[in-house]
Amino acid sequence: MNNEIINLAVPGVRGLEPYRPGKPIEELEREYGVKNAVKLASNENPLGPSPRALAAARTALSDIHRYPDGNGFALKQALAQKLGVAPECITLGNGSNDILELLARAFVLPENEVVFSEHAFAVYPIVTRAVGARPVVTKTRDWGHDLAAMRAAVNARTRLVFIANPNNPTGTWLKREELESFVRDMPPHVLVAVDEAYFEYVGEAEYPDTVAWTGKYPNLVTTRTFSKIYGLAGLRVGYGVSSPAVADILNRVRQPFNVNSIALAAATAALADTEHVTRAVRTNREGMRQLTQAFTKLGLSFIPSVGNFVCVDFARPATPIHERLLREGMIVRPVANYGMPNHLRVTVGLPGENERFIKNLEEVTSGK
Ligand code: PMP
């Protein structure tokens, strides 16, 4: 890049690497000349959105000459009712990613530190560096968050801690007691953001619902999304749940119309379709079993995951395997940028998509 222009960028932004998304299907088909590519790379819902969400989106289309409801009244009401919190506790975002960024922008100064774990979601270092603050990355424990290490990393300069539960890309999760004791121990000058993008997929009895703690901990923020189980990734809508005081601050810095009108309508309708969510959970559970049984059969180990994705370990650099899969029209996610060069992350697909991935994997790993 032009040297002079880069020097005009604010210091934190100069060294930033952009977030690397999963390859879009069209891009692979264009670049590799393959047809019927399958994408198991971005933790999307393979069932697609609820038909009710689609119908609401179509209806909302006829009003797109109007600005959206900047306060997202209907969606906030529906979320408040479902979650058992006051609407004042909710901040709507252009994806939950927006909320993560708003947290850094509204609360973190360049002299502050932001704590998160190794192998945690790639957006945490981006939003931290973008505001010029120092990322403090704690070592992992069994691919997951080491809460004792994270607690020890908190000091007078810390302003924000990010915890992904479950974590992407590893699929590891934290139990209710350990997480609540961590949140309880945080000093008042530290905000804890618990990122629950995959909340609805988790069936473990000891998995915490941190939204239920909103009234207890004024410095806690839970983020969730309509991109994953609700199948609305392309519309960009997510939310934060926090004390009204934190929500008030976030609302001061967000764009006035950060969630578009189609997304608002679709998300409100999606929330009401609990059957679709149940179906997605079931499809995911069965698909996860299908994939992990195949890994075991192929002698490949994997990180047990409670999300809609799983990291498989090739015990050698995964780049050539990833390349071969791409040439077969199979898009999965390399995670070398997460410090995991021997793994690939696979999103659980529909049974036929999983089957095709397993077949491709068998061919690639047997050297055929
Ligand atoms: N948090 C985690 C852990 C994620 O995996 C993702 C999506 N990859 C997000 C947040 C952001 O998703 P969205 O902005 O679509 O809500």
PDB file of all heavy atoms in Angstrom, residues 150-184:
ATOM      1  N   MET A 150      -7.347 -15.606  32.781  1.00  0.00           N
ATOM      2  CA  MET A 150      -7.977 -14.345  32.366  1.00  0.00           C
ATOM      3  C   MET A 150      -8.154 -13.411  33.569  1.00  0.00           C
ATOM      4  O   MET A 150      -7.915 -12.209  33.474  1.00  0.00           O
ATOM      5  CB  MET A 150      -9.328 -14.626  31.689  1.00  0.00           C
ATOM      6  CG  MET A 150      -9.140 -15.387  30.376  1.00  0.00           C
ATOM      7  SD  MET A 150     -10.653 -15.667  29.444  1.00  0.00           S
ATOM      8  CE  MET A 150     -10.819 -14.103  28.593  1.00  0.00           C
ATOM      9  N   ARG A 151      -8.535 -14.003  34.690  1.00  0.00           N
ATOM     10  CA  ARG A 151      -8.710 -13.192  35.908  1.00  0.00           C
ATOM     11  C   ARG A 151      -7.362 -12.584  36.314  1.00  0.00           C
ATOM     12  O   ARG A 151      -7.279 -11.411  36.663  1.00  0.00           O
ATOM     13  CB  ARG A 151      -9.244 -14.080  37.033  1.00  0.00           C
ATOM     14  CG  ARG A 151      -9.700 -13.317  38.227  1.00  0.00           C
ATOM     15  CD  ARG A 151     -10.360 -14.238  39.237  1.00  0.00           C
ATOM     16  NE  ARG A 151     -11.471 -14.985  38.640  1.00  0.00           N
ATOM     17  CZ  ARG A 151     -11.912 -16.159  39.089  1.00  0.00           C
ATOM     18  NH1 ARG A 151     -11.342 -16.738  40.124  1.00  0.00           N
ATOM     19  NH2 ARG A 151     -12.916 -16.762  38.511  1.00  0.00           N
ATOM     20  N   ALA A 152      -6.304 -13.394  36.204  1.00  0.00           N
ATOM     21  CA  ALA A 152      -4.969 -12.916  36.579  1.00  0.00           C
ATOM     22  C   ALA A 152      -4.474 -11.825  35.626  1.00  0.00           C
ATOM     23  O   ALA A 152      -3.617 -11.021  35.993  1.00  0.00           O
ATOM     24  CB  ALA A 152      -3.986 -14.090  36.591  1.00  0.00           C
ATOM     25  N   ALA A 153      -5.008 -11.791  34.410  1.00  0.00           N
ATOM     26  CA  ALA A 153      -4.559 -10.799  33.415  1.00  0.00           C
ATOM     27  C   ALA A 153      -5.239  -9.444  33.607  1.00  0.00           C
ATOM     28  O   ALA A 153      -4.840  -8.454  33.004  1.00  0.00           O
ATOM     29  CB  ALA A 153      -4.828 -11.317  32.007  1.00  0.00           C
ATOM     30  N   VAL A 154      -6.279  -9.415  34.434  1.00  0.00           N
ATOM     31  CA  VAL A 154      -7.022  -8.165  34.650  1.00  0.00           C
ATOM     32  C   VAL A 154      -6.266  -7.268  35.630  1.00  0.00           C
ATOM     33  O   VAL A 154      -5.816  -7.722  36.673  1.00  0.00           O
ATOM     34  CB  VAL A 154      -8.446  -8.483  35.188  1.00  0.00           C
ATOM     35  CG1 VAL A 154      -9.141  -7.231  35.700  1.00  0.00           C
ATOM     36  CG2 VAL A 154      -9.272  -9.155  34.094  1.00  0.00           C
ATOM     37  N   ASN A 155      -6.084  -6.009  35.251  1.00  0.00           N
ATOM     38  CA  ASN A 155      -5.406  -5.058  36.146  1.00  0.00           C
ATOM     39  C   ASN A 155      -6.097  -3.697  36.063  1.00  0.00           C
ATOM     40  O   ASN A 155      -7.192  -3.599  35.494  1.00  0.00           O
ATOM     41  CB  ASN A 155      -3.910  -4.970  35.775  1.00  0.00           C
ATOM     42  CG  ASN A 155      -3.723  -4.506  34.333  1.00  0.00           C
ATOM     43  OD1 ASN A 155      -4.451  -3.628  33.853  1.00  0.00           O
ATOM     44  ND2 ASN A 155      -2.765  -5.086  33.631  1.00  0.00           N
ATOM     45  N   ALA A 156      -5.456  -2.670  36.573  1.00  0.00           N
ATOM     46  CA  ALA A 156      -6.093  -1.343  36.623  1.00  0.00           C
ATOM     47  C   ALA A 156      -6.335  -0.782  35.222  1.00  0.00           C
ATOM     48  O   ALA A 156      -7.202   0.073  35.029  1.00  0.00           O
ATOM     49  CB  ALA A 156      -5.217  -0.392  37.435  1.00  0.00           C
ATOM     50  N   ARG A 157      -5.558  -1.244  34.231  1.00  0.00           N
ATOM     51  CA  ARG A 157      -5.725  -0.721  32.862  1.00  0.00           C
ATOM     52  C   ARG A 157      -6.821  -1.449  32.083  1.00  0.00           C
ATOM     53  O   ARG A 157      -7.272  -0.983  31.046  1.00  0.00           O
ATOM     54  CB  ARG A 157      -4.406  -0.846  32.074  1.00  0.00           C
ATOM     55  CG  ARG A 157      -3.320   0.121  32.514  1.00  0.00           C
ATOM     56  CD  ARG A 157      -2.071  -0.032  31.658  1.00  0.00           C
ATOM     57  NE  ARG A 157      -1.501  -1.367  31.748  1.00  0.00           N
ATOM     58  CZ  ARG A 157      -0.689  -1.786  32.698  1.00  0.00           C
ATOM     59  NH1 ARG A 157      -0.328  -0.946  33.664  1.00  0.00           N
ATOM     60  NH2 ARG A 157      -0.223  -3.018  32.722  1.00  0.00           N
ATOM     61  N   THR A 158      -7.226  -2.620  32.572  1.00  0.00           N
ATOM     62  CA  THR A 158      -8.223  -3.412  31.829  1.00  0.00           C
ATOM     63  C   THR A 158      -9.569  -2.698  31.822  1.00  0.00           C
ATOM     64  O   THR A 158     -10.033  -2.212  32.857  1.00  0.00           O
ATOM     65  CB  THR A 158      -8.414  -4.796  32.504  1.00  0.00           C
ATOM     66  OG1 THR A 158      -7.142  -5.347  32.773  1.00  0.00           O
ATOM     67  CG2 THR A 158      -9.237  -5.716  31.623  1.00  0.00           C
ATOM     68  N   ARG A 159     -10.205  -2.646  30.634  1.00  0.00           N
ATOM     69  CA  ARG A 159     -11.532  -2.039  30.596  1.00  0.00           C
ATOM     70  C   ARG A 159     -12.581  -3.037  30.097  1.00  0.00           C
ATOM     71  O   ARG A 159     -13.770  -2.925  30.407  1.00  0.00           O
ATOM     72  CB  ARG A 159     -11.493  -0.788  29.705  1.00  0.00           C
ATOM     73  CG  ARG A 159     -12.776  -0.005  29.552  1.00  0.00           C
ATOM     74  CD  ARG A 159     -13.396   0.413  30.879  1.00  0.00           C
ATOM     75  NE  ARG A 159     -12.498   1.120  31.745  1.00  0.00           N
ATOM     76  CZ  ARG A 159     -12.208   2.401  31.674  1.00  0.00           C
ATOM     77  NH1 ARG A 159     -12.746   3.155  30.747  1.00  0.00           N
ATOM     78  NH2 ARG A 159     -11.386   2.957  32.529  1.00  0.00           N
ATOM     79  N   LEU A 160     -12.113  -4.046  29.343  1.00  0.00           N
ATOM     80  CA  LEU A 160     -13.076  -4.948  28.711  1.00  0.00           C
ATOM     81  C   LEU A 160     -12.480  -6.351  28.638  1.00  0.00           C
ATOM     82  O   LEU A 160     -11.284  -6.512  28.374  1.00  0.00           O
ATOM     83  CB  LEU A 160     -13.367  -4.408  27.298  1.00  0.00           C
ATOM     84  CG  LEU A 160     -14.311  -5.145  26.370  1.00  0.00           C
ATOM     85  CD1 LEU A 160     -15.706  -5.254  26.964  1.00  0.00           C
ATOM     86  CD2 LEU A 160     -14.389  -4.398  25.005  1.00  0.00           C
ATOM     87  N   VAL A 161     -13.342  -7.353  28.893  1.00  0.00           N
ATOM     88  CA  VAL A 161     -12.945  -8.757  28.731  1.00  0.00           C
ATOM     89  C   VAL A 161     -13.948  -9.384  27.768  1.00  0.00           C
ATOM     90  O   VAL A 161     -15.158  -9.210  27.937  1.00  0.00           O
ATOM     91  CB  VAL A 161     -12.997  -9.519  30.075  1.00  0.00           C
ATOM     92  CG1 VAL A 161     -12.637 -10.992  29.883  1.00  0.00           C
ATOM     93  CG2 VAL A 161     -12.068  -8.886  31.104  1.00  0.00           C
ATOM     94  N   PHE A 162     -13.436 -10.082  26.752  1.00  0.00           N
ATOM     95  CA  PHE A 162     -14.317 -10.805  25.837  1.00  0.00           C
ATOM     96  C   PHE A 162     -14.266 -12.295  26.158  1.00  0.00           C
ATOM     97  O   PHE A 162     -13.182 -12.872  26.237  1.00  0.00           O
ATOM     98  CB  PHE A 162     -13.863 -10.641  24.379  1.00  0.00           C
ATOM     99  CG  PHE A 162     -14.207  -9.320  23.759  1.00  0.00           C
ATOM    100  CD1 PHE A 162     -13.202  -8.446  23.353  1.00  0.00           C
ATOM    101  CD2 PHE A 162     -15.530  -8.960  23.544  1.00  0.00           C
ATOM    102  CE1 PHE A 162     -13.516  -7.236  22.742  1.00  0.00           C
ATOM    103  CE2 PHE A 162     -15.855  -7.746  22.936  1.00  0.00           C
ATOM    104  CZ  PHE A 162     -14.841  -6.888  22.545  1.00  0.00           C
ATOM    105  N   ILE A 163     -15.445 -12.900  26.284  1.00  0.00           N
ATOM    106  CA  ILE A 163     -15.521 -14.352  26.490  1.00  0.00           C
ATOM    107  C   ILE A 163     -16.520 -14.904  25.483  1.00  0.00           C
ATOM    108  O   ILE A 163     -17.673 -14.451  25.433  1.00  0.00           O
ATOM    109  CB  ILE A 163     -15.994 -14.676  27.923  1.00  0.00           C
ATOM    110  CG1 ILE A 163     -14.926 -14.230  28.925  1.00  0.00           C
ATOM    111  CG2 ILE A 163     -16.301 -16.171  28.077  1.00  0.00           C
ATOM    112  CD1 ILE A 163     -15.297 -14.453  30.359  1.00  0.00           C
ATOM    113  N   ALA A 164     -16.088 -15.866  24.675  1.00  0.00           N
ATOM    114  CA  ALA A 164     -17.024 -16.481  23.724  1.00  0.00           C
ATOM    115  C   ALA A 164     -17.498 -17.795  24.315  1.00  0.00           C
ATOM    116  O   ALA A 164     -16.696 -18.672  24.629  1.00  0.00           O
ATOM    117  CB  ALA A 164     -16.323 -16.741  22.392  1.00  0.00           C
ATOM    118  N   ASN A 165     -18.814 -17.926  24.486  1.00  0.00           N
ATOM    119  CA  ASN A 165     -19.351 -19.138  25.101  1.00  0.00           C
ATOM    120  C   ASN A 165     -20.589 -19.617  24.362  1.00  0.00           C
ATOM    121  O   ASN A 165     -21.662 -19.079  24.577  1.00  0.00           O
ATOM    122  CB  ASN A 165     -19.680 -18.863  26.574  1.00  0.00           C
ATOM    123  CG  ASN A 165     -19.852 -20.144  27.359  1.00  0.00           C
ATOM    124  OD1 ASN A 165     -19.207 -21.161  27.069  1.00  0.00           O
ATOM    125  ND2 ASN A 165     -20.718 -20.121  28.349  1.00  0.00           N
ATOM    126  N   PRO A 166     -20.508 -20.640  23.499  1.00  0.00           N
ATOM    127  CA  PRO A 166     -19.277 -21.362  23.185  1.00  0.00           C
ATOM    128  C   PRO A 166     -18.345 -20.526  22.312  1.00  0.00           C
ATOM    129  O   PRO A 166     -18.764 -19.541  21.699  1.00  0.00           O
ATOM    130  CB  PRO A 166     -19.778 -22.587  22.417  1.00  0.00           C
ATOM    131  CG  PRO A 166     -21.096 -22.205  21.869  1.00  0.00           C
ATOM    132  CD  PRO A 166     -21.674 -21.206  22.810  1.00  0.00           C
ATOM    133  N   ASN A 167     -17.099 -20.993  22.275  1.00  0.00           N
ATOM    134  CA  ASN A 167     -16.110 -20.261  21.494  1.00  0.00           C
ATOM    135  C   ASN A 167     -16.125 -20.685  20.027  1.00  0.00           C
ATOM    136  O   ASN A 167     -16.340 -21.845  19.706  1.00  0.00           O
ATOM    137  CB  ASN A 167     -14.715 -20.523  22.081  1.00  0.00           C
ATOM    138  CG  ASN A 167     -13.650 -19.712  21.377  1.00  0.00           C
ATOM    139  OD1 ASN A 167     -13.858 -18.534  21.076  1.00  0.00           O
ATOM    140  ND2 ASN A 167     -12.531 -20.322  21.077  1.00  0.00           N
ATOM    141  N   ASN A 168     -15.907 -19.722  19.169  1.00  0.00           N
ATOM    142  CA  ASN A 168     -15.635 -19.991  17.759  1.00  0.00           C
ATOM    143  C   ASN A 168     -14.158 -19.650  17.549  1.00  0.00           C
ATOM    144  O   ASN A 168     -13.755 -18.549  17.911  1.00  0.00           O
ATOM    145  CB  ASN A 168     -16.522 -19.078  16.899  1.00  0.00           C
ATOM    146  CG  ASN A 168     -16.143 -19.132  15.434  1.00  0.00           C
ATOM    147  OD1 ASN A 168     -15.529 -20.085  14.968  1.00  0.00           O
ATOM    148  ND2 ASN A 168     -16.494 -18.095  14.692  1.00  0.00           N
ATOM    149  N   PRO A 169     -13.331 -20.500  17.003  1.00  0.00           N
ATOM    150  CA  PRO A 169     -13.651 -21.705  16.240  1.00  0.00           C
ATOM    151  C   PRO A 169     -13.588 -23.032  17.005  1.00  0.00           C
ATOM    152  O   PRO A 169     -13.823 -24.075  16.401  1.00  0.00           O
ATOM    153  CB  PRO A 169     -12.527 -21.717  15.184  1.00  0.00           C
ATOM    154  CG  PRO A 169     -11.343 -21.175  15.917  1.00  0.00           C
ATOM    155  CD  PRO A 169     -11.901 -20.135  16.864  1.00  0.00           C
ATOM    156  N   THR A 170     -13.288 -23.024  18.311  1.00  0.00           N
ATOM    157  CA  THR A 170     -13.003 -24.317  18.948  1.00  0.00           C
ATOM    158  C   THR A 170     -14.245 -25.070  19.410  1.00  0.00           C
ATOM    159  O   THR A 170     -14.191 -26.283  19.601  1.00  0.00           O
ATOM    160  CB  THR A 170     -12.057 -24.119  20.158  1.00  0.00           C
ATOM    161  OG1 THR A 170     -12.699 -23.222  21.075  1.00  0.00           O
ATOM    162  CG2 THR A 170     -10.710 -23.568  19.736  1.00  0.00           C
ATOM    163  N   GLY A 171     -15.351 -24.368  19.637  1.00  0.00           N
ATOM    164  CA  GLY A 171     -16.588 -25.028  20.082  1.00  0.00           C
ATOM    165  C   GLY A 171     -16.583 -25.401  21.550  1.00  0.00           C
ATOM    166  O   GLY A 171     -17.477 -26.105  22.030  1.00  0.00           O
ATOM    167  N   THR A 172     -15.585 -24.934  22.298  1.00  0.00           N
ATOM    168  CA  THR A 172     -15.493 -25.222  23.728  1.00  0.00           C
ATOM    169  C   THR A 172     -16.480 -24.324  24.484  1.00  0.00           C
ATOM    170  O   THR A 172     -16.894 -23.280  23.986  1.00  0.00           O
ATOM    171  CB  THR A 172     -14.072 -24.931  24.234  1.00  0.00           C
ATOM    172  OG1 THR A 172     -13.716 -23.605  23.796  1.00  0.00           O
ATOM    173  CG2 THR A 172     -13.077 -25.935  23.659  1.00  0.00           C
ATOM    174  N   TRP A 173     -16.800 -24.727  25.706  1.00  0.00           N
ATOM    175  CA  TRP A 173     -17.798 -23.947  26.459  1.00  0.00           C
ATOM    176  C   TRP A 173     -17.458 -23.915  27.950  1.00  0.00           C
ATOM    177  O   TRP A 173     -16.715 -24.762  28.456  1.00  0.00           O
ATOM    178  CB  TRP A 173     -19.191 -24.520  26.253  1.00  0.00           C
ATOM    179  CG  TRP A 173     -19.370 -25.937  26.736  1.00  0.00           C
ATOM    180  CD1 TRP A 173     -18.854 -27.058  26.157  1.00  0.00           C
ATOM    181  CD2 TRP A 173     -20.078 -26.367  27.889  1.00  0.00           C
ATOM    182  NE1 TRP A 173     -19.214 -28.159  26.877  1.00  0.00           N
ATOM    183  CE2 TRP A 173     -19.974 -27.774  27.947  1.00  0.00           C
ATOM    184  CE3 TRP A 173     -20.819 -25.706  28.881  1.00  0.00           C
ATOM    185  CZ2 TRP A 173     -20.571 -28.545  28.962  1.00  0.00           C
ATOM    186  CZ3 TRP A 173     -21.412 -26.467  29.893  1.00  0.00           C
ATOM    187  CH2 TRP A 173     -21.285 -27.872  29.926  1.00  0.00           C
ATOM    188  N   LEU A 174     -18.023 -22.900  28.620  1.00  0.00           N
ATOM    189  CA  LEU A 174     -17.792 -22.715  30.051  1.00  0.00           C
ATOM    190  C   LEU A 174     -19.071 -23.006  30.821  1.00  0.00           C
ATOM    191  O   LEU A 174     -20.170 -22.718  30.350  1.00  0.00           O
ATOM    192  CB  LEU A 174     -17.374 -21.268  30.317  1.00  0.00           C
ATOM    193  CG  LEU A 174     -16.026 -20.876  29.706  1.00  0.00           C
ATOM    194  CD1 LEU A 174     -15.916 -19.363  29.599  1.00  0.00           C
ATOM    195  CD2 LEU A 174     -14.881 -21.450  30.534  1.00  0.00           C
ATOM    196  N   LYS A 175     -18.884 -23.562  32.017  1.00  0.00           N
ATOM    197  CA  LYS A 175     -20.042 -23.915  32.835  1.00  0.00           C
ATOM    198  C   LYS A 175     -20.536 -22.728  33.666  1.00  0.00           C
ATOM    199  O   LYS A 175     -19.794 -21.778  33.918  1.00  0.00           O
ATOM    200  CB  LYS A 175     -19.660 -25.063  33.772  1.00  0.00           C
ATOM    201  CG  LYS A 175     -19.368 -26.329  33.003  1.00  0.00           C
ATOM    202  CD  LYS A 175     -19.062 -27.486  33.924  1.00  0.00           C
ATOM    203  CE  LYS A 175     -18.788 -28.705  33.056  1.00  0.00           C
ATOM    204  NZ  LYS A 175     -18.244 -29.818  33.818  1.00  0.00           N
ATOM    205  N   ARG A 176     -21.799 -22.851  34.100  1.00  0.00           N
ATOM    206  CA  ARG A 176     -22.483 -21.774  34.811  1.00  0.00           C
ATOM    207  C   ARG A 176     -21.670 -21.258  36.002  1.00  0.00           C
ATOM    208  O   ARG A 176     -21.403 -20.077  36.129  1.00  0.00           O
ATOM    209  CB  ARG A 176     -23.840 -22.301  35.288  1.00  0.00           C
ATOM    210  CG  ARG A 176     -24.758 -21.270  35.885  1.00  0.00           C
ATOM    211  CD  ARG A 176     -26.121 -21.873  36.190  1.00  0.00           C
ATOM    212  NE  ARG A 176     -26.784 -22.342  34.992  1.00  0.00           N
ATOM    213  CZ  ARG A 176     -27.139 -23.618  34.761  1.00  0.00           C
ATOM    214  NH1 ARG A 176     -26.903 -24.546  35.664  1.00  0.00           N
ATOM    215  NH2 ARG A 176     -27.737 -23.960  33.640  1.00  0.00           N
ATOM    216  N   GLU A 177     -21.248 -22.197  36.861  1.00  0.00           N
ATOM    217  CA  GLU A 177     -20.618 -21.765  38.110  1.00  0.00           C
ATOM    218  C   GLU A 177     -19.302 -21.054  37.892  1.00  0.00           C
ATOM    219  O   GLU A 177     -19.018 -20.028  38.504  1.00  0.00           O
ATOM    220  CB  GLU A 177     -20.393 -22.972  39.015  1.00  0.00           C
ATOM    221  CG  GLU A 177     -21.475 -23.083  40.039  1.00  0.00           C
ATOM    222  CD  GLU A 177     -21.280 -24.266  40.962  1.00  0.00           C
ATOM    223  OE1 GLU A 177     -20.122 -24.550  41.332  1.00  0.00           O
ATOM    224  OE2 GLU A 177     -22.291 -24.901  41.277  1.00  0.00           O
ATOM    225  N   GLU A 178     -18.467 -21.625  36.998  1.00  0.00           N
ATOM    226  CA  GLU A 178     -17.155 -21.015  36.778  1.00  0.00           C
ATOM    227  C   GLU A 178     -17.301 -19.636  36.123  1.00  0.00           C
ATOM    228  O   GLU A 178     -16.605 -18.693  36.475  1.00  0.00           O
ATOM    229  CB  GLU A 178     -16.221 -21.927  35.964  1.00  0.00           C
ATOM    230  CG  GLU A 178     -16.803 -22.430  34.665  1.00  0.00           C
ATOM    231  CD  GLU A 178     -15.870 -23.346  33.861  1.00  0.00           C
ATOM    232  OE1 GLU A 178     -14.654 -23.360  34.092  1.00  0.00           O
ATOM    233  OE2 GLU A 178     -16.393 -24.046  32.959  1.00  0.00           O
ATOM    234  N   LEU A 179     -18.256 -19.516  35.208  1.00  0.00           N
ATOM    235  CA  LEU A 179     -18.421 -18.229  34.530  1.00  0.00           C
ATOM    236  C   LEU A 179     -19.013 -17.183  35.472  1.00  0.00           C
ATOM    237  O   LEU A 179     -18.572 -16.042  35.507  1.00  0.00           O
ATOM    238  CB  LEU A 179     -19.292 -18.391  33.276  1.00  0.00           C
ATOM    239  CG  LEU A 179     -19.425 -17.130  32.421  1.00  0.00           C
ATOM    240  CD1 LEU A 179     -18.063 -16.581  32.005  1.00  0.00           C
ATOM    241  CD2 LEU A 179     -20.264 -17.396  31.170  1.00  0.00           C
ATOM    242  N   GLU A 180     -20.009 -17.603  36.280  1.00  0.00           N
ATOM    243  CA  GLU A 180     -20.609 -16.603  37.178  1.00  0.00           C
ATOM    244  C   GLU A 180     -19.601 -16.149  38.226  1.00  0.00           C
ATOM    245  O   GLU A 180     -19.555 -14.967  38.578  1.00  0.00           O
ATOM    246  CB  GLU A 180     -21.900 -17.112  37.831  1.00  0.00           C
ATOM    247  CG  GLU A 180     -22.520 -15.978  38.644  1.00  0.00           C
ATOM    248  CD  GLU A 180     -23.991 -16.153  39.000  1.00  0.00           C
ATOM    249  OE1 GLU A 180     -24.505 -17.276  38.853  1.00  0.00           O
ATOM    250  OE2 GLU A 180     -24.597 -15.158  39.443  1.00  0.00           O
ATOM    251  N   SER A 181     -18.766 -17.068  38.691  1.00  0.00           N
ATOM    252  CA  SER A 181     -17.805 -16.637  39.698  1.00  0.00           C
ATOM    253  C   SER A 181     -16.780 -15.675  39.078  1.00  0.00           C
ATOM    254  O   SER A 181     -16.333 -14.716  39.720  1.00  0.00           O
ATOM    255  CB  SER A 181     -17.190 -17.848  40.410  1.00  0.00           C
ATOM    256  OG  SER A 181     -15.883 -18.053  40.039  1.00  0.00           O
ATOM    257  N   PHE A 182     -16.472 -15.881  37.794  1.00  0.00           N
ATOM    258  CA  PHE A 182     -15.575 -14.951  37.095  1.00  0.00           C
ATOM    259  C   PHE A 182     -16.220 -13.560  37.005  1.00  0.00           C
ATOM    260  O   PHE A 182     -15.600 -12.549  37.319  1.00  0.00           O
ATOM    261  CB  PHE A 182     -15.279 -15.491  35.689  1.00  0.00           C
ATOM    262  CG  PHE A 182     -14.396 -14.602  34.865  1.00  0.00           C
ATOM    263  CD1 PHE A 182     -13.018 -14.730  34.930  1.00  0.00           C
ATOM    264  CD2 PHE A 182     -14.938 -13.634  34.027  1.00  0.00           C
ATOM    265  CE1 PHE A 182     -12.193 -13.906  34.172  1.00  0.00           C
ATOM    266  CE2 PHE A 182     -14.121 -12.807  33.274  1.00  0.00           C
ATOM    267  CZ  PHE A 182     -12.751 -12.937  33.345  1.00  0.00           C
ATOM    268  N   VAL A 183     -17.466 -13.529  36.575  1.00  0.00           N
ATOM    269  CA  VAL A 183     -18.165 -12.244  36.406  1.00  0.00           C
ATOM    270  C   VAL A 183     -18.286 -11.527  37.765  1.00  0.00           C
ATOM    271  O   VAL A 183     -18.049 -10.321  37.880  1.00  0.00           O
ATOM    272  CB  VAL A 183     -19.559 -12.462  35.775  1.00  0.00           C
ATOM    273  CG1 VAL A 183     -20.363 -11.166  35.734  1.00  0.00           C
ATOM    274  CG2 VAL A 183     -19.432 -13.049  34.363  1.00  0.00           C
ATOM    275  N   ARG A 184     -18.612 -12.320  38.795  1.00  0.00           N
ATOM    276  CA  ARG A 184     -18.791 -11.762  40.140  1.00  0.00           C
ATOM    277  C   ARG A 184     -17.495 -11.121  40.643  1.00  0.00           C
ATOM    278  O   ARG A 184     -17.520 -10.083  41.292  1.00  0.00           O
ATOM    279  CB  ARG A 184     -19.229 -12.884  41.088  1.00  0.00           C
ATOM    280  CG  ARG A 184     -19.774 -12.398  42.405  1.00  0.00           C
ATOM    281  CD  ARG A 184     -20.057 -13.550  43.367  1.00  0.00           C
ATOM    282  NE  ARG A 184     -21.021 -14.516  42.847  1.00  0.00           N
ATOM    283  CZ  ARG A 184     -20.772 -15.824  42.667  1.00  0.00           C
ATOM    284  NH1 ARG A 184     -19.591 -16.339  42.972  1.00  0.00           N
ATOM    285  NH2 ARG A 184     -21.708 -16.625  42.203  1.00  0.00           N
TER     286      ARG A 184
END
